Amino acid sequence: MIDAVTRLASSRRSRIGLSGCAPLIVLALVSALSLGARGYRLDAPCVSPCTTASDHALISDESYYVDAAQVIAGIHPPPTLPAGQVPFYREAPLGTDPNGEHPQGAKLVIAGAIELFGNGPFAWRIGSLLFGSLAILGMYALARAAGGGPWLAVGAATLMAADNLLIVSGRIAFLDIYALAPMVWGVALYLRGRVFAAAALLAVADCMKEVSVYALLVLGLLELFRVLLHARQTDPADPLPAAWAWRPALGRLAIAAIGSAALFIAGLWVMGLIAPPFSGDSGRHHLITGGPFGHLAYIINFAKGFSNSSGAQRGYPWQWWY
């Protein structure tokens, strides 16, 4: 009788353990399927027999970032590409980053992959595959940190994995996916109360693409809503956390903002030692001087003057709302 009860209890514990692991198993399956889907025909488009780097066409702004990574890796971009594409930055000094309008982070990752795997589409895009998977896992962590249950978090990660923008950005050599992954993880850590670690990851995101600074706007709105709720609470029997008061909220936000800004400047300085920023824009070729602050000024001035081929000014995230 005692043995039967022991076996029954053990069986129930096993089922409970399996049930607790089920969301993580599904998350792993979703991540694997996403990686496989995004990795399918990673070398496309190309002109048969696709034996050299110049046989593979670059997709949209890959022409900027892959060419810049090649220059960083000490390789002159090929003179022509399929479909009449003309590579950028052929006149840039080798070892520099001629795409100086953006920080070097993502392009250094691509350049490192070129050094490891050779100059081809796998090296150009493997980083996007990995960072895309990190972003999906980060969405699970973010949903859990925001108070969602395991299955809700798996649902959020699955929706992200199925999103067309993630599928496309997570398989081509664009900077955005490199910035997204540390942004999502940084916000998740902030919600967990690990503010210093969050500041470090947000700085990493800024080093990939400067628009990552918008994550601080999200955190600012979050803290504002918390403070307003804390100030308006009316039920003393069920008080809101004291950490939602304005003083600790302002302290957390200041650490995240100042810490990430300082680490971003330090990152620009270190990356500038590895691959000095170079202006390859419209024939105005020159090394960008002034250290990290000079590079940051160049990035800001470039963004101010940027317009697309139709002459319309660029859009901003807050414009999506209307």
Side-chain angles (χ1 to χ4, degrees):
M1 180 65 178
I2 295 177
D3 290 342
V5 172
T6 301
R7 286 195 298 271
L8 177 61
S10 177
S11 176
R12 290 189 62 185
R13 285 196 298 269
S14 298
R15 289 197 297 271
I16 292 172
L18 181 61
S19 175
C21 291
L24 296 179
I25 294 172
V26 175
L27 177 64
L29 180 61
V30 167
S31 299
L33 290 174
S34 172
L35 183 63
R38 288 182 288 111
Y40 176 67
R41 295 191 64 186
L42 193 63
D43 61 343
C46 69
V47 175
S48 180
C50 299
T51 55
T52 65
S54 59
D55 294 330
H56 298 270
L58 297 173
I59 300 170
S60 185
D61 283 0
E62 281 190 327
S63 298
Y64 295 100
Y65 310 134
V66 170
D67 287 2
Q70 289 173 339
V71 173
I72 291 172
I75 301 170
H76 283 297
T80 58
L81 289 170
Q85 292 177 312
V86 179
F88 296 94
Y89 311 137
R90 281 190 53 79
E91 305 302 321
L94 296 181
T96 66
D97 175 15
N99 183 242
E101 58 266 33
H102 296 298
Q104 298 97 317
K107 290 162 286 184
L108 285 172
V109 175
I110 300 171
I114 290 173
E115 295 279 2
L116 285 174
F117 304 113
N119 186 26
F122 180 80
W124 304 339
R125 296 165 182 159
I126 182 62
S128 296
L129 284 179
L130 297 178
F131 275 78
S133 295
L134 287 174
I136 293 169
L137 297 176
M139 179 56 69
Y140 176 88
L142 177 58
R144 293 288 284 138
W151 285 113
L152 178 63
V154 169
T158 303
L159 287 174
M160 186 181 196
D163 180 75
N164 186 61
L165 188 59
L166 188 282
I167 293 172
V168 174
S169 297
R171 61 172 276 118
I172 58 178
F174 275 30
L175 309 185
D176 306 79
I177 195 66
Y178 288 93
L180 177 63
M183 280 177 69
V184 173
W185 278 101
V187 174
L189 287 174
Y190 187 93
L191 292 179
R192 291 287 187 186
R194 301 178 63 180
V195 183
F196 291 99
L201 274 180
L202 293 178
V204 171
D206 292 336
C207 289
M208 300 297 181
K209 193 171 185 180
E210 64 282 358
V211 295
S212 302
V213 72
Y214 289 130
L216 293 174
L217 176 62
V218 173
L219 296 180
L221 291 173
L222 169 70
E223 294 292 11
L224 176 62
F225 293 144
R226 281 176 166 179
V227 168
L228 292 176
L229 286 173
H230 188 271
R232 291 170 60 87
Q233 63 179 338
T234 57
D235 186 1
D238 187 23
L240 293 173
W244 288 18
W246 72 269
R247 287 182 185 274
L250 184 60
R252 285 192 300 272
L253 194 59
I255 291 172
I258 297 173
S260 62
L263 290 173
F264 171 52
I265 294 298
L268 279 181
W269 175 71
V270 172
M271 292 187 299
L273 297 177
I274 300 170
F278 184 83
S279 173
D281 177 47
S282 303
R284 295 176 293 178
H285 298 161
H286 60 88
L287 279 173
I288 300 170
T289 59
F293 294 102
H295 189 189
L296 182 59
Y298 179 87
I299 291 172
I300 294 172
N301 289 330
F302 186 93
K304 286 180 179 178
F306 178 81
S307 62
N308 60 30
S309 58
S310 67
Q313 291 298 312
R314 68 190 302 175
Y316 291 93
W318 53 80
Q319 292 175 315
W320 301 341
W321 294 101
Y322 58 85

CSV table of all heavy atoms in Angstrom, one decimal, residues 115-136:
chain,number,residue,atom,x,y,z
A,115,GLU,N,35.3,37.5,-41.4
A,115,GLU,CA,36.6,36.9,-41.0
A,115,GLU,C,36.6,35.4,-40.7
A,115,GLU,O,37.5,34.7,-41.0
A,115,GLU,CB,37.2,37.7,-39.8
A,115,GLU,CG,37.5,39.2,-40.1
A,115,GLU,CD,38.8,39.4,-40.8
A,115,GLU,OE1,39.5,38.4,-41.1
A,115,GLU,OE2,39.2,40.5,-41.0
A,116,LEU,N,35.5,35.0,-40.1
A,116,LEU,CA,35.3,33.6,-39.6
A,116,LEU,C,34.9,32.7,-40.8
A,116,LEU,O,35.4,31.6,-40.9
A,116,LEU,CB,34.3,33.5,-38.5
A,116,LEU,CG,34.8,34.0,-37.1
A,116,LEU,CD1,33.6,34.0,-36.1
A,116,LEU,CD2,35.9,33.1,-36.6
A,117,PHE,N,33.9,33.1,-41.5
A,117,PHE,CA,33.2,32.2,-42.5
A,117,PHE,C,33.5,32.6,-43.9
A,117,PHE,O,33.0,31.9,-44.8
A,117,PHE,CB,31.7,32.3,-42.2
A,117,PHE,CG,31.3,31.9,-40.8
A,117,PHE,CD1,30.8,32.8,-40.0
A,117,PHE,CD2,31.6,30.6,-40.3
A,117,PHE,CE1,30.4,32.5,-38.7
A,117,PHE,CE2,31.2,30.3,-39.0
A,117,PHE,CZ,30.6,31.2,-38.2
A,118,GLY,N,34.3,33.6,-44.2
A,118,GLY,CA,34.5,34.0,-45.6
A,118,GLY,C,33.5,35.1,-46.0
A,118,GLY,O,32.4,35.2,-45.4
A,119,ASN,N,33.8,35.7,-47.1
A,119,ASN,CA,33.0,36.8,-47.6
A,119,ASN,C,31.9,36.3,-48.5
A,119,ASN,O,32.0,36.1,-49.7
A,119,ASN,CB,33.9,37.8,-48.4
A,119,ASN,CG,33.1,39.0,-48.8
A,119,ASN,OD1,32.1,39.4,-48.2
A,119,ASN,ND2,33.5,39.7,-49.9
A,120,GLY,N,30.7,36.0,-47.9
A,120,GLY,CA,29.6,35.5,-48.6
A,120,GLY,C,28.3,35.7,-47.8
A,120,GLY,O,28.3,36.2,-46.7
A,121,PRO,N,27.2,35.3,-48.4
A,121,PRO,CA,25.9,35.6,-47.7
A,121,PRO,C,25.7,35.0,-46.4
A,121,PRO,O,25.0,35.5,-45.5
A,121,PRO,CB,24.8,35.1,-48.7
A,121,PRO,CG,25.6,34.1,-49.6
A,121,PRO,CD,27.0,34.6,-49.7
A,122,PHE,N,26.3,33.8,-46.1
A,122,PHE,CA,26.1,33.2,-44.8
A,122,PHE,C,26.8,34.1,-43.7
A,122,PHE,O,26.2,34.4,-42.7
A,122,PHE,CB,26.8,31.8,-44.7
A,122,PHE,CG,26.7,31.2,-43.4
A,122,PHE,CD1,25.5,30.5,-43.0
A,122,PHE,CD2,27.8,31.2,-42.5
A,122,PHE,CE1,25.4,29.9,-41.8
A,122,PHE,CE2,27.7,30.6,-41.2
A,122,PHE,CZ,26.5,30.0,-40.9
A,123,ALA,N,28.0,34.6,-44.0
A,123,ALA,CA,28.6,35.6,-43.1
A,123,ALA,C,27.9,36.9,-43.0
A,123,ALA,O,27.7,37.4,-41.9
A,123,ALA,CB,30.1,35.8,-43.5
A,124,TRP,N,27.3,37.4,-44.1
A,124,TRP,CA,26.6,38.6,-44.0
A,124,TRP,C,25.4,38.6,-43.1
A,124,TRP,O,25.0,39.5,-42.5
A,124,TRP,CB,26.2,39.0,-45.4
A,124,TRP,CG,27.3,39.1,-46.4
A,124,TRP,CD1,28.6,39.3,-46.2
A,124,TRP,CD2,27.1,39.0,-47.9
A,124,TRP,NE1,29.3,39.3,-47.4
A,124,TRP,CE2,28.4,39.2,-48.4
A,124,TRP,CE3,26.0,38.9,-48.7
A,124,TRP,CZ2,28.6,39.1,-49.8
A,124,TRP,CZ3,26.2,38.8,-50.1
A,124,TRP,CH2,27.5,38.9,-50.6
A,125,ARG,N,24.7,37.4,-43.1
A,125,ARG,CA,23.4,37.3,-42.5
A,125,ARG,C,23.3,36.4,-41.3
A,125,ARG,O,22.2,36.4,-40.7
A,125,ARG,CB,22.4,36.8,-43.6
A,125,ARG,CG,22.3,37.8,-44.8
A,125,ARG,CD,21.7,37.3,-46.0
A,125,ARG,NE,21.6,38.3,-47.1
A,125,ARG,CZ,21.5,38.0,-48.4
A,125,ARG,NH1,21.4,36.7,-48.8
A,125,ARG,NH2,21.5,39.0,-49.3
A,126,ILE,N,24.3,35.7,-40.9
A,126,ILE,CA,24.2,34.8,-39.8
A,126,ILE,C,24.0,35.6,-38.5
A,126,ILE,O,23.2,35.1,-37.6
A,126,ILE,CB,25.5,33.9,-39.6
A,126,ILE,CG1,25.4,33.0,-38.5
A,126,ILE,CG2,26.7,34.8,-39.5
A,126,ILE,CD1,24.3,32.0,-38.6
A,127,GLY,N,24.5,36.7,-38.4
A,127,GLY,CA,24.3,37.6,-37.2
A,127,GLY,C,22.8,37.9,-37.1
A,127,GLY,O,22.3,37.9,-35.9
A,128,SER,N,22.2,38.3,-38.2
A,128,SER,CA,20.7,38.6,-38.1
A,128,SER,C,19.9,37.4,-37.7
A,128,SER,O,18.9,37.6,-36.9
A,128,SER,CB,20.3,39.1,-39.5
A,128,SER,OG,21.0,40.3,-39.9
A,129,LEU,N,20.3,36.2,-38.1
A,129,LEU,CA,19.6,35.0,-37.7
A,129,LEU,C,19.7,34.9,-36.2
A,129,LEU,O,18.6,34.6,-35.5
A,129,LEU,CB,20.2,33.8,-38.4
A,129,LEU,CG,19.8,33.5,-39.8
A,129,LEU,CD1,20.5,32.2,-40.3
A,129,LEU,CD2,18.3,33.3,-40.0
A,130,LEU,N,20.9,35.0,-35.6
A,130,LEU,CA,21.1,34.8,-34.2
A,130,LEU,C,20.4,35.9,-33.4
A,130,LEU,O,19.7,35.6,-32.4
A,130,LEU,CB,22.6,34.7,-33.9
A,130,LEU,CG,23.3,33.6,-34.6
A,130,LEU,CD1,24.8,33.6,-34.2
A,130,LEU,CD2,22.7,32.2,-34.1
A,131,PHE,N,20.5,37.1,-33.8
A,131,PHE,CA,19.9,38.2,-33.0
A,131,PHE,C,18.4,38.2,-33.2
A,131,PHE,O,17.7,38.6,-32.2
A,131,PHE,CB,20.5,39.6,-33.5
A,131,PHE,CG,21.7,40.0,-32.8
A,131,PHE,CD1,22.9,39.4,-33.2
A,131,PHE,CD2,21.8,40.9,-31.8
A,131,PHE,CE1,24.1,39.7,-32.6
A,131,PHE,CE2,22.9,41.2,-31.2
A,131,PHE,CZ,24.1,40.7,-31.6
A,132,GLY,N,17.9,37.7,-34.3
A,132,GLY,CA,16.4,37.5,-34.4
A,132,GLY,C,15.9,36.5,-33.4
A,132,GLY,O,14.9,36.7,-32.7
A,133,SER,N,16.7,35.4,-33.2
A,133,SER,CA,16.3,34.4,-32.2
A,133,SER,C,16.4,35.0,-30.8
A,133,SER,O,15.5,34.7,-29.9
A,133,SER,CB,17.1,33.1,-32.3
A,133,SER,OG,16.9,32.5,-33.6
A,134,LEU,N,17.4,35.7,-30.5
A,134,LEU,CA,17.5,36.4,-29.2
A,134,LEU,C,16.4,37.3,-29.0
A,134,LEU,O,15.9,37.5,-27.8
A,134,LEU,CB,18.9,37.1,-29.1
A,134,LEU,CG,20.1,36.3,-29.0
A,134,LEU,CD1,21.4,37.2,-29.1
A,134,LEU,CD2,20.1,35.5,-27.7
A,135,ALA,N,15.9,38.0,-30.0
A,135,ALA,CA,14.8,38.9,-29.8
A,135,ALA,C,13.5,38.2,-29.5
A,135,ALA,O,12.7,38.6,-28.6
A,135,ALA,CB,14.6,39.7,-31.1
A,136,ILE,N,13.3,37.0,-30.1
A,136,ILE,CA,12.1,36.2,-29.8
A,136,ILE,C,12.1,35.7,-28.3
A,136,ILE,O,11.2,35.8,-27.6
A,136,ILE,CB,12.0,35.0,-30.7
A,136,ILE,CG1,11.7,35.5,-32.2
A,136,ILE,CG2,10.9,34.0,-30.3
A,136,ILE,CD1,11.8,34.5,-33.2
